[in-house]
Amino acid sequence: MPSYDTLIIGGGHNGLVNAAYLARAGKKVLVLEKRHLVGGAAVTEEIYPGFKFTEFSYVVSLLRPEIVRDLNLPAHGLEILPLPSTFTPMLNGDYIAFWDDHEETHNEIARHSRKDADAYDEYGRLMYHMAKAVRPIIGMIPPDPTSLSPNDLRGMLKMGMHMRGLGEEKFYQLFKLMTMSSGDYLDEWFETDALKGTKAASGIIGTFMGPRSPGTAYVLLHHYMGEIDGAFRAWGFAKGGTGGISNSIANAARSFGAEIRCNAGVAHVIVKNGRAVGVALDNGDEIYANVIVSSLDPKRTFLKLIDEKELPNDFVNDIKRYKTRGSSGKVNLALDALPNFTAIPKKEMVMQTLRGAISISPSVEYLERAYDDAKYGNFSQRPYMDMIIPSLIDPGMAPPGKHVMSIFVQYAPYNLNGGWNNEQRDAFGDAVIDTLSQFAPNLKEIILHRQVLTPWDIEQITGLTEGNIFAGELALHQLFFLRPSPQWANYRTPLHNFYQCGSGTHPGGGIMGAGGRLAAMEILKDSK
Amino acid sequence: MSHSFDFIIIGAGLNGLTAAAYLAKAGKKVLVLERREIIGGAAVTEEIFPGFKLDTVTHNVAGFDANIARDLNLAQYGLELIQPDVSVFAPQRDGGAITLWRDDAKTADSIRVFSPNDATKWRAFRERMAKLARVLDSIHALTPPSITTTNPAELFSLGKLGLQVRGLGKRDMPEFLRALPMPIAELLDYEFENDLLKGALAAGGIHGLMLGPLGVGTTYNFLRGVNDGVVRATTFVRGGVGKLADALASAAKARGAEIRTNAHVVQIRVRDQRATGVVLASGEEINAPQIISSADPKQTFLQLIDPIELDPTFCARIRNIRTRGVFAKMNLALDALPNFKNATEEQLRGTISISPNMMYLERAYDDAKYGNISQQPYLEITIPTLLDPSRAPQGKHVLSVWMQYVGERLETGDLRLKNEQLGDLVIRTLSDYAPNLQSLVLHSQVLSPCDLQEIYSLPNGDINHGQTTLDQFLFMRPVPHFANYRTPLEGLFFCGAGAHPGGIPCAAGRNAAREILK
């Protein structure tokens, strides 16, 4: 007799959301996490005494508001602090900034181009409408278009009606966004290089494509879909770092009776007669349950935890060709003081600027060249970077007077020529610091500690295959009913009683939690 | 007011002529106006050098729908298509080569030398691609439906298409939807291991596009080049591609259509939101109740029509159509057949593809995306005289080279200054594969994107009048709301390659005529 209704493999945010929803519905749930702490790629760790790093994922905007509500996360410690601005220093010493105040942003863009300032408002409106148009799809179980089952046909119909309901104009706009490159798309709107570079950057995050690759305009939209308290477009920082989000979800799950066990890596899934019946842990313990859910990425789930023989050939091939190329790294710094970005024109602007995000994305061409390095197997000599200084937003992140800086870096290919080693990791870290020092000359002098994470490190620590932060690339052919594999996009798998709920399922990565929630709905449906 | 013509068609390219022939066949009185002294548009055969008949721009009409030839009785008007047994000969520098034949077994034999693994996979791959391409063929023959349509006929055709896509089955239907937005490199890396084979196939994915094989949507472009089950098929016209235009013209004229060359339309007259006629460069005005333009969308709507007659949003969209000059054309008259290392004459009868591996193509694209000419370009070569000796004096040959990429932005300089440089680059590149080429050249002609625009009216030198990428596909082509060959102006239609399905020989002209006759 199994001792649990459900075992969830992996205590990342999706696993935890899944656990919380199932526990809330009265299931007896056990979450198994390989590491000593929950959160997966959404963790905060004190790597150097007194300095808390948001090690991997560092900002939040995509977390589904219904999850925040359903699980009452604020009561369990979730607090989102605003990240009000983005500041892009330019190579010529100037800058472009996007503030939370509409008028200020308008004036700032107009300083570069009046035409762009006007277009920016219209662009924002269109993106808002597009995000609204996509929202219902994000919250939908992808129907299988090849299936004739009433559920799938109903899903297809719903989807068709939704598309028709958008009206022709919005449908075409959406189609364009789905198929164009972010570079081409932005060229239709704007003329200022640094504006286009900064906007295009959000179209390439987590992908192994350059801003001139078609399909990146969609990722641009994906990043527009953030909602905090119902407000579109806002990015935020969780108090205590992204680990704070994971902890609040874990707390919610526990409050509903879920059990969470850390230091409990799963070695493999136990399959009997085509049914998943339990898991074997790294230490040899076996645990049995009626339902097993994996929140790991599809490759790790199906190619590492399960014997290929238990799965249909076609399915295994689909998972093998599912693309998970890691393309980004992370550099976390402990700082003795604040960096002096020379592009900040006035002293009184310094704190306001540093409290927001700083983006190294002076032009679309800069990003494209960074990609060129990566596509031939090298890390970018002049990478795209997105950074924040969490200690300015949440003083608890560093000792008084000191700071932590979180730098997202792209591109760094998982399959580096010659492979990653200590030397290459250092060289990558140096390329980041050198590039940044051009904009903040005192940087090298104020670094107390430096943590460099390559895609290889990300894979080693978090388990994400190839270090892909979205647990599978957000490419058009890996979305919706194709994510992670045709016919198995509804969180079920070819194995009975075995489900998937990670970012490798619809609707994909970012700290969204949608996969965990939708999978829980499906599991509950099946258990009726 | 009575008119001498029911329709005026602007441009006597393949699409304009096809539309003319179909309309004439339906009993309409048609006048076709062509700016140049010869018809054919980009599908012309010109005797630039005495005795040598060169397909100056397009040298391959694969994808031409045989139904059109049947509908219009083109065989009777002299059309004879030549389909070589070989589709692609892909050499590498050191002398080895892979040859893709119509015959799967022969192809597999050729691949086996490089990779026994890939050889065993060939037939299944080719058949699956053929299956997916057949669905695309049906889509290409369709008038793009409006997604919000309530028109029963459109709903029916949408439904039929839906059934056909579903008919692909549990495996191939998702495969089809997954393939369209996939980079061709990803598809091929999954299927095959040999670089030369992958390069030869990937070249079909980038043909005419400002994208490398890593670009999303190149699989769609690759599938466009799978015709009648043949991957990267080559189809010649006996006497040159111009003979296809001639046959269409004859078919149209036999039904009473009139075709005037040296008749350059400079303006479409509009009155009360209605096209009423055209004005020629000579000042002559010709009126007709219906005007059909086969010129590209930018020229049609931004140059021939007074902007005041059109909605600014519509014009902005037309301006945003992505037209990219990516290729140059080099045509050579040769004293003898060049000596491709280790190649038999038979292997050279289709397309010769200089595309040794996918990264070669990607690097060629890298140069172009920053506005430069590829230092090591992709070349697609045909030697039509091998199957059609009438094209050159006895014993001599014509060699036609499609060179990609030329990334120079047209507005940044006069590309013609670079023609010599382009020609040298082509000869130098090709000499690695056919060392005696240089010594055989009797005459040569280079057409840069600038020339292609000026002489052949290809916008920016884009052979398809707009990139055949997914964002400019089906109901997005040429612009949303007007993908059904109609325009915002009453009495003005559109039938060029800028419309769905792009530069597939005669397809847009046929689709437009069908729509106009409704």
Side-chain angles (χ1 to χ4, degrees), chain A residues 80-226:
Chain A
I80 304 287
L81 306 165
L83 195 60
S85 61
T86 302
F87 179 86
T88 302
M90 288 155 51
L91 297 169
N92 65 3
D94 199 352
Y95 69 93
I96 189 165
F98 307 87
W99 309 106
D100 61 349
D101 181 83
H102 174 265
E103 200 58 31
E104 257 184 279
T105 304
H106 186 89
N107 292 340
E108 163 63 7
I109 298 173
R111 195 167 68 79
H112 299 273
S113 157
R114 176 140 301 280
K115 184 173 154 269
D116 283 3
D118 294 339
Y120 192 73
D121 288 343
E122 207 188 319
Y123 175 80
R125 266 195 301 277
L126 180 74
M127 283 297 168
Y128 170 80
H129 285 300
M130 290 298 102
K132 258 178 82 171
V134 171
R135 186 161 60 167
I137 300 170
I138 295 268
M140 187 176 170
I141 312 282
D144 174 3
T146 67
S147 158
L148 291 171
S149 86
N151 262 340
D152 286 312
L153 288 177
R154 212 175 304 127
M156 288 299 287
L157 189 69
K158 203 172 136 197
M159 174 86 191
M161 294 307 281
H162 174 66
M163 285 300 174
R164 279 175 71 110
L166 288 180
E168 273 192 90
E169 193 49 39
K170 276 192 197 144
F171 174 81
Y172 294 137
Q173 290 290 354
L174 188 59
F175 191 89
K176 261 177 95 115
L177 262 177
M178 300 290 284
T179 51
M180 280 185 83
S181 78
S182 51
D184 287 337
Y185 191 76
L186 292 162
D187 281 345
E188 290 190 3
W189 288 88
F190 306 112
E191 58 187 18
T192 308
D193 282 342
L195 168 60
K196 287 192 276 187
T198 304
K199 291 289 150 192
S202 59
I204 56 165
I205 285 179
T207 74
F208 204 93
M209 296 189 276
R212 291 283 168 207
S213 307
T216 48
Y218 168 72
V219 188
L220 203 137
L221 180 63
H222 193 90
H223 281 265
Y224 245 90
M225 272 178 303

Side-chain angles (χ1 to χ4, degrees), chain B residues 226 394 415:
Chain B
V226 178
Q394 203 181 357
L415 262 177

Side-chain angles (χ1 to χ4, degrees), chain A residues 379-429:
Chain A
F379 57 77
S380 310
Q381 285 306 313
R382 290 281 173 267
Y384 157 62
M385 287 177 269
D386 182 46
M387 73 205 80
I388 59 170
I389 303 173
S391 47
L392 279 181
I393 309 165
D394 175 359
M397 300 294 286
K402 317 260 183 231
H403 290 282
V404 287
M405 187 159 162
S406 164
I407 312 168
F408 172 87
V409 192
Q410 199 164 320
Y411 298 78
Y414 174 80
N415 287 310
L416 189 76
N417 290 335
W420 285 104
N421 53 36
N422 289 338
E423 224 166 84
Q424 290 283 18
R425 184 189 296 109
D426 283 344
F428 172 56

